[in-house]
Amino acid sequence: MKTAVIFGVSGQDGAFLSRLLLEKQYRVIGVCRNTGNAFLNNLDLLNIRHRIELIPSSIGHFDHVKQIVQEYKPDEIYNLAGQSSVSRSFEEPVATFEGISMGTLNLLETVRTLNLPVKLYNAGSGDCFGNIKGQAATEETRFNPASPYGVAKACAFWQVGAYRDAYGIFACTGLLFNHESYLRPAQFVTQKIVKTACRIAHGKCSELILGNIGIERDWGWAPEYVVAMWKMLQQETPDDYIIATGTTISLEDFIRAVFQRLNLDWKKYVTTDHRFLRPSDIATIRANPQKAEDRLGWKAKFTGYDVARMMVEAELNIEGNQLGL
């Protein structure tokens, strides 16, 4: 039985990755800052909380990280911790940078000093590329981050590459583009759209207020993306990969797909407000995930249109279960 330690286990990706690893008969050690009931809802929704060994700790404390890794001697470490909202990073730039960059450094230093035969996955982001004027990013595209979040993720990416080259550590970064699911927090725009649209359909509210709906993103289905994370650590040689669908749609297209699933005309309910605009935003984001398909055998099955539909169906199921239907 392999052992995996997941830092950031309570988030969307941590929950789906835990389920995947449990299905593969791993022993899963989950690390999160708070193990109270309110913080573990994602694990409960997937009905896996009782199968994970949970540890209350923070990736920001080097001594804690080292102690965890030394005690459990995992075969694989997944770094999914840190602030994950681009919008929030503009409000909390220092905390965002410290949580992502220092957390990654703590893990790399732990692996180096303990000299264990462990494989390390680092959660990167398509936001590292920033504004490349609508071109499809590849692994060779120059970084030009446009947010504190993107800057922090770029720093962590370079840290991983430096330690891999200097010390021969098996460490890789997955440059994941937008990936969504019903486990997303409500402050993420896709979940905000889905939850509000369902409330409108049930007569509980009458308006959805958003910022710029003309932006274009490559939205994928999160449960697929954690498979790519795992596949990276099954390779003989560590490397970095873009993980995306290769299909970009506008936020307006996503909104339309959500409301169509509910048999509603989105134009009757959606308004825009400048208060929801970011200080800096990217008009169009595109990605080329060909390397992942060629080397990992991974290819996304679902595009943004599918994600919109599946998120609505999941929300309706969750609402039905809560009402006992």
Side-chain angles (χ1 to χ4, degrees), residues 24-304:
K24 295 183 178 297
Q25 305 303 312
Y26 276 66
R27 178 190 185 191
V28 177
I29 314 299
V31 184
C32 54
R33 283 177 294 181
N34 195 315
T35 56
N37 289 339
F39 297 88
L40 301 174
N41 185 53
N42 287 339
L43 302 180
D44 288 333
L45 281 173
L46 298 184
N47 194 30
I48 58 173
R49 177 177 170 185
H50 62 289
R51 301 176 61 192
I52 298 171
E53 299 175 51
L54 293 168
I55 300 173
S57 186
S58 171
I59 197 172
H61 299 290
F62 175 74
D63 290 340
H64 292 185
V65 172
K66 187 174 183 180
Q67 181 180 353
I68 291 169
V69 175
Q70 192 167 28
E71 177 179 350
Y72 291 97
K73 295 180 174 56
D75 300 278
E76 299 169 6
I77 298 173
Y78 293 86
N79 175 21
L80 311 181
Q83 201 283 107
S84 60
S85 168
V86 175
S87 295
R88 187 176 167 189
S89 75
F90 285 102
E91 301 169 3
E92 304 175 4
V94 175
T96 298
F97 188 84
E98 288 181 347
I100 293 173
S101 64
M102 290 306 299
T104 303
L105 187 59
N106 285 340
L107 274 176
L108 290 166
E109 267 295 281
T110 292
V111 173
R112 182 186 73 83
T113 56
L114 293 179
N115 194 28
L116 295 173
V118 60
K119 294 183 176 182
L120 171 64
Y121 170 83
N122 173 56
S125 171
D127 280 275
C128 292
F129 296 105
N131 188 2
I132 54 176
K133 300 179 180 179
Q135 298 179 10
T138 71
E139 288 80 2
E140 306 304 319
T141 301
R142 181 177 177 270
F143 285 176
N144 184 30
S147 67
Y149 173 80
V151 170
K153 286 294 186 179
C155 178
F157 174 90
W158 287 319
Q159 289 172 340
V160 168
Y163 269 72
R164 184 171 61 211
D165 294 342
Y167 304 114
I169 293 172
F170 192 111
C172 56
T173 296
L175 294 163
L176 275 61
F177 282 66
N178 298 69
H179 49 292
E180 314 297 324
S181 77
Y182 52 92
L183 297 187
R184 271 297 191 204
Q187 66 264 28
F188 280 74
V189 67
T190 52
Q191 189 71 302
K192 176 182 177 180
I193 292 167
V194 169
K195 285 185 174 295
T196 305
C198 288
R199 285 175 56 82
I200 290 172
H202 292 149
K204 296 179 180 178
C205 67
S206 60
E207 186 179 35
L208 170 59
I209 305 174
L210 298 168
N212 180 9
I213 65 173
I215 60 167
E216 297 178 312
R217 297 290 184 267
D218 184 321
W219 279 291
W221 187 236
E224 288 193 299
Y225 283 44
V226 299
V227 176
M229 298 177 189
W230 175 78
K231 281 181 173 287
M232 289 181 208
L233 298 195
Q234 311 315 306
Q235 306 305 303
E236 292 185 4
T237 304
D239 206 347
D240 307 314
Y241 298 87
I242 282 176
I243 304 300
T245 72
T247 299
T248 292
I249 67 172
S250 70
L251 186 58
E252 182 178 317
D253 290 332
F254 188 93
I255 295 166
R256 182 182 295 108
V258 167
F259 278 80
Q260 281 181 343
R261 174 62 184 79
L262 296 166
N263 298 315
L264 297 173
D265 180 359
W266 71 274
K267 293 182 179 179
K268 293 181 179 180
Y269 306 99
V270 177
T271 60
T272 58
D273 191 315
H274 71 278
R275 292 177 300 170
F276 292 93
L277 299 177
R278 294 175 181 173
S280 175
D281 210 346
I282 304 165
T284 301
I285 293 178
R286 301 186 190 280
N288 181 352
Q290 190 62 47
K291 179 179 175 181
E293 182 177 355
D294 293 342
R295 301 190 184 181
L296 302 179
W298 182 90
K299 184 177 181 179
K301 297 178 182 178
F302 304 111
T303 67

Side-chain angles (χ1 to χ4, degrees), residues 15-28:
F16 284 125
L17 178 63
S18 296
R19 183 175 69 178
L20 174 71
L21 296 180
L22 288 169
E23 290 171 352
K24 295 183 178 297
Q25 305 303 312
Y26 276 66
R27 178 190 185 191
V28 177

